[in-house]
Amino acid sequence: MNLSRIDLNKSMKEIKAIINAYDHIDPEKNKAAIATVVRVEGSSYRRTGARMLVMDDGVWVGGISGGCLEGDALKRARLAMAKAQSGLVTYDTTEDDQYQIGVGLGCNGVIDVLLTPLNFDNPNNPVELLKSCMAERRQTHILLTVMRLESDLNGLTPGQMLRYTGPESLAIFGSLHSELEEAVQQQRYKGRSAPKTFELADGSELEIFIEILPPEVHLVLMGHQYDVLPLTRLVKEIGWRATVVANPQKVMQKLFAVADELIAPADFNTILIDEHTAVILMSHDFKTDKYNLPKALRTKASYIGLLGPRVRSEKIFTELAQEGIEISETDMERIHAPVGLDIGAVSPEEIALSIVAEIRAVFSDRGGAALRLRTTPIHERD
């Protein structure tokens, strides 16, 4: 699957926060529900897959908008908890109606939010399924959530979530098996989550939210100098994963508490590096970066960045070629040297911002230009 096709709008940080809050709920004292954005038409601050965990005491974690819809969603979620029944709520910010929630926000979009009460005794409730996805090693998961069902279908109910693990996992959908499989493969190819409507044999409709859930973006930082710390901090604040490759005796002690992993250079091959990974060579030592570049190129990393001026990188390329290590055109497309966007960054913190911004742009298949110059919608639309 081409990385540029994968929807990176999912916030793993948000999902992890929701799971953490869920794990601290006392089922004997509190009820909870999950609110999920399952459809967006037009413009919206959050996209499909945005979530909010709501407790019956008024506390919530996560978000489905920029803060404008959460209050109303909280009220509706508490009602769903009281009824023990899922419900689909539509917020239409395109209507000029003073009584419409969200009017005047300027988003000019229609947002469908599915409110699902959580049964703590059900090991397959939506949050438990998200936990199972997060517990597995890095892979793209596909989740199917029943949004709307007008008649009986093998006991399925609105709000029910299932994990797609292959065609056999769709058997519960009966005669819709093949049609749903085709829709799943279409969304997998597009790399984007979307709702789909299917007609049942009796003429009624079934609406399914097909969610593509990729792993978090992973940065592998190869170096131990002081500028590794601000970059690691920024990566973690965003909600990405950070692995630092350096001699543990040389790194700043603060780094141990920030990075997800600290790996010795000799153990580089033990790191799980996939197409959602960026490798940054930032040792500030020419020979070390030259030695590490071929190692990085042998991985599946979609992005490889080299710190330092262009002349330094070109010298590395030349010396490697002289030693018989040619870099193919395909591999050159993965290499970003000098690393980062041209924002005039000077300090380590600003350079970290420049690097992270370029990685986000590359992984989203964007050019990194100012949004005011964009002539098409900010987010892709079906």
Side-chain angles (χ1 to χ4, degrees), residues 100-349:
Q100 167 68 36
I101 298 294
V103 73
L105 298 177
C107 291
N108 198 34
V110 179
I111 306 114
D112 280 354
V113 178
L114 181 64
L115 304 170
T116 306
L118 297 174
N119 179 355
F120 294 97
D121 295 326
N122 181 1
N124 292 314
N125 77 40
V127 179
E128 292 290 354
L129 286 181
L130 287 172
K131 285 173 65 175
S132 69
C133 292
M134 295 298 101
E136 296 180 4
R137 295 203 81 186
R138 297 175 60 83
Q139 61 180 292
T140 296
H141 298 280
I142 299 177
L143 301 173
L144 308 176
T145 302
V146 179
M147 296 167 52
R148 184 170 56 89
L149 180 57
E150 296 180 343
S151 63
D152 179 68
L153 180 62
N154 296 329
L156 290 169
T157 57
Q160 187 172 346
M161 178 189 284
L162 304 94
R163 282 185 63 178
Y164 172 86
T165 55
E168 68 283 351
S169 62
L170 301 178
I172 193 173
F173 293 97
S175 61
L176 290 177
H177 172 280
S178 298
E179 190 177 351
L180 183 54
E181 169 68 17
E182 183 179 353
V184 166
Q185 295 307 324
Q186 286 177 351
Q187 294 310 127
R188 186 207 290 267
Y189 176 75
K190 292 179 180 179
R192 299 213 309 272
S193 306
K196 296 293 180 180
T197 303
F198 304 89
E199 184 176 338
L200 302 179
D202 62 2
S204 62
E205 290 186 337
L206 165 69
E207 198 163 13
I208 297 286
F209 176 51
I210 303 174
E211 182 174 11
I212 310 299
L213 189 65
E216 61 199 341
V217 174
H218 180 201
L219 261 67
V220 176
L221 312 178
M222 305 187 72
H224 68 273
Q225 302 294 352
Y226 66 95
D227 54 356
V228 173
L229 181 59
L231 179 52
T232 305
R233 280 176 170 164
L234 180 56
V235 166
K236 295 306 299 175
E237 179 62 28
I238 292 173
W240 296 353
R241 182 174 182 81
T243 297
V244 175
V245 180
N247 185 332
Q249 297 178 343
K250 293 184 178 181
V251 302
M252 301 171 64
Q253 288 299 310
K254 293 180 181 179
L255 203 54
F256 286 90
V258 182
D260 291 285
E261 285 188 289
L262 204 155
I263 303 293
D267 297 325
F268 175 80
N269 290 334
T270 66
I271 305 172
L272 179 56
I273 298 179
D274 54 24
E275 61 181 354
H276 301 274
T277 303
V279 178
I280 313 298
L281 308 184
M282 50 192 309
S283 70
H284 293 271
D285 178 75
F286 180 86
K287 291 183 178 179
T288 300
D289 284 348
K290 175 186 167 183
Y291 173 76
N292 285 333
L293 180 57
K295 292 171 62 176
L297 288 171
R298 286 193 290 270
T299 71
K300 295 180 180 180
S302 297
Y303 177 108
I304 299 170
L306 278 77
L307 211 61
R310 185 184 306 276
V311 64
R312 180 179 184 272
S313 300
E314 291 177 345
K315 185 179 179 182
I316 288 177
F317 303 152
T318 299
E319 290 192 7
L320 286 175
Q322 292 172 347
E323 295 169 12
I325 303 175
E326 294 285 348
I327 301 176
S328 68
E329 291 185 13
T330 300
D331 281 340
M332 284 301 297
E333 291 178 359
R334 293 194 288 161
I335 297 174
H336 297 261
V339 65
L341 294 182
D342 183 9
I343 60 173
V346 177
S347 68
E349 291 77 11

Side-chain angles (χ1 to χ4, degrees), residues 78-91:
R78 294 171 79 174
L79 181 60
M81 289 180 232
K83 293 182 176 180
Q85 183 177 349
S86 296
L88 196 61
V89 181
T90 298
Y91 296 101

Side-chain angles (χ1 to χ4, degrees), residues 366 370-381:
R366 298 291 183 89
L371 282 175
R372 66 184 179 86
L373 302 178
R374 188 174 178 84
T375 57
T376 56
I378 296 175
H379 299 293
E380 292 186 20
R381 303 174 185 177

Side-chain angles (χ1 to χ4, degrees), residues 49-64:
R51 288 182 170 86
M52 177 173 75
L53 178 70
V54 179
M55 277 72 84
D56 60 354
D57 59 4
V59 175
W60 77 76
V61 177
I64 56 172

